[in-house]
Every structure is written in structure tokens, then in C-alpha cells.
Amino acid sequence: MHGDSSTSKRTEISRGVPRFRTFERIVFFTGAGLSAESGIPTYRGQGGIWHQYSYEDFACQRAFDRDPEKVWDFHDARRAKVAACEPNAGHRVIAEVQQAKPGTVVITQNIDGLHQRAGAHSVIELHGSLWRVRCDREGINVANDQVPLVPRRCACGAYWRPDIVWFEDMLDPANIQHATDALRSCDLLVSVGTSGVVYPAAELPLIAMEAGAATIEINPEETSVSRLYQHTIRAAASEALAALWAE
Ligand code: OAD
């Protein structure tokens, strides 16, 4: 029982929790906690971004309309921070599962692009991406990984804005549809590192629950939705994901 560290990590997860190998259509529903081990701050809890910055000043269209330069300074700093971070073992396990089991779908609330950098594909980015910009007038969006963004205006003269679903913005209906389709037909839903308090994203896992999927929540803390999951693992994402995949 008290062997090397890999053994003790595995024994932390009870035998009653089903392992990934027994499923074929897994949905990983991920949040900021997955990227915390890469050094990217979460939004809530200790050190959370929204404790330091108010969304009314930095993360809504009204703030952008009022002072686009200030909002871009904030997002340039976030881009610089994320660009300096690497995907962690948790992102890599998810990409490996997807490679081994092609029916696997990643639905993320994260905007950092770390799933893709770890090798995951067709990631449904519910809240957009730090690495796309959208013309605030014409609505066209383009991939962009410049840090800092120069120039901050499109050729038409209007500002680029980060292609992120800010507070008070609508989610892309096509993304919701893809996510819904995947959740309806999955055999396992794994929620990783999300507080489950931001809607409508937070209610998407209910689709898989109602459709009869097995469900696992991975989060070191209890959340307001923990009781809805059949299995809860109170551990860091990288450790729990590795254990559920290795066994
Ligand atoms: P939150 O910051 O609300 O929650 C992060 C969760 O991660 C918390 O429940 C932590 O307990 C958990 N956590 C911390 N470290 C962890 C670790 N190592 N392994 C696993 N879990 C860990 O982040 P989200 O739920 O993702 O929106 O927030 C949802 C949305 O709110 C975000 O997408 C963002 C924000 O406003 C936009 O950016 C548009």
C-alpha cells in the first residue's frame, strides 16, 4: 500500500470509480482548474483573476466600448502569461485518450488553447479563445498569436477585440449544438477543474446525466454541482486523469 509514489497516486482513487479504458465515447468538460497546474490562475478561489480585476472593467463589451486600450492591455498581459506556460500532464492525458478513443470530445470553458497545444483536436471552446481576434465592426474573426497585438485595429479602422465570450455575451449556438450532440451520446462525462457556476456552460453536463452517461467530477474542492456526479475525485487534475487512464 505504501510503495513508490506512482503506486500511492493510483491507490488514492477508489476501485469503485470506473476507468477510462472501459468507455469509448468520453466527454471531457474542462475549466480553469485544469490549467492551474500550468501556472495559469483560475477565476475564482484563492488568487482568482476576478478577485483582482472586475469583469465590468476588463471583460465585457461595455468595458471595451468605453476603453478598448485598457481592455487590450489586460488581454495582452493574459496572452503573455499564457504564452509562457506549457500544457501539463492533465492536458496530455486528455489528448492521449482522444487519440486512443476517437469518439472522445473535449468541451472546454478555457480560452488558453492548452488542449490544442497538448495535441487535442476539434476542441469545443465554449468561451472563445485568447488566440483569435474579431473585428468589432465587421465581425470577421482570425487566428492571431501576437503578443502584444499590433496593430489593435483591423484594416477597416475598427478595433479588433479578443474573440472571447465575455460576461453578458451570447455563446455561439453552433458550439452549443456540437456540445449538446456530444453530451447526448457520450458514455462517460468527466468534469475537470470547474466551479460549475457560470451559465449556460454549467448546465451542459446535465444533458449527459439525463442521457444516462457515467459521470466523474475531478476537483480538489467540493463544488455546488458535486452532488450531481456519480463519482467525485478530490485531487489535482493531472494526478486524477493520469490514474484513471493508466489503470
Ligand atoms: P473557476 O475559477 O470558477 O473554478 C476553477 C475550479 O478549479 C475550482 O472549482 C477549483 O477548486 C478547481 N481547481 C483548482 N486547482 C485545480 C487542480 N489542480 N485540478 C483540478 N481542479 C482545480 O473556473 P471555471 O469554472 O473554469 O469565463 O470558470 C468558468 C468561467 O468563468 C471561465 O470560462 C471564465 C470565467 O469567467 C470566461 O473567460 C469567458
Side-chain angles (χ1 to χ4, degrees), residues 54-146:
S54 83
Y55 84 83
E56 289 97 337
D57 289 332
F58 297 100
C60 66
Q61 185 68 40
R62 287 178 294 117
F64 191 70
D65 293 343
R66 204 165 51 236
D67 193 344
E69 293 290 330
K70 177 175 164 178
V71 171
W72 260 118
D73 288 345
F74 171 75
H75 284 85
D76 269 342
R78 292 206 62 200
R79 284 174 151 219
K81 171 83 184 164
V82 171
C85 294
E86 296 295 329
N88 64 56
H91 297 104
R92 288 194 293 275
V93 166
I94 291 172
E96 273 175 35
V97 174
Q98 194 178 41
Q99 200 167 17
K101 295 176 182 284
T104 302
V105 174
V106 181
I107 304 174
T108 191
Q109 296 164 89
N110 297 345
I111 58 175
D112 55 33
L114 291 189
H115 277 297
Q116 293 90 331
R117 279 170 59 194
H121 58 83
S122 313
V123 178
I124 301 172
E125 294 178 307
L126 292 175
H127 291 162
S129 174
L130 262 180
W131 305 111
R132 277 194 315 269
V133 293
R134 185 167 86 222
C135 173
D136 201 31
R137 180 184 299 149
E138 300 166 321
I140 50 159
N141 63 43
V142 292
N144 179 288
D145 60 3
Q146 274 184 314

Side-chain angles (χ1 to χ4, degrees), residues 29-38 41-45 48-50 55 59 75 78 88 108-111 126-128 164-167 169 191-199 201-202 217-224 233-240:
F29 180 76
T30 67
L34 175 62
S35 295
E37 292 170 81
S38 292
T42 60
Y43 296 96
R44 300 168 186 82
I49 291 172
W50 302 142
Y55 84 83
H75 284 85
R78 292 206 62 200
N88 64 56
T108 191
Q109 296 164 89
N110 297 345
I111 58 175
L126 292 175
H127 291 162
I164 292 172
V165 179
W166 280 328
F167 286 86
D169 287 349
S191 166
V192 189
T194 176
S195 58
V197 297
V198 173
Y199 286 81
E217 178 190 62
I218 299 173
N219 196 313
E221 312 272 336
E222 182 168 355
T223 70
S224 57
I233 301 177
R234 298 276 164 254
S238 63
E239 181 186 321

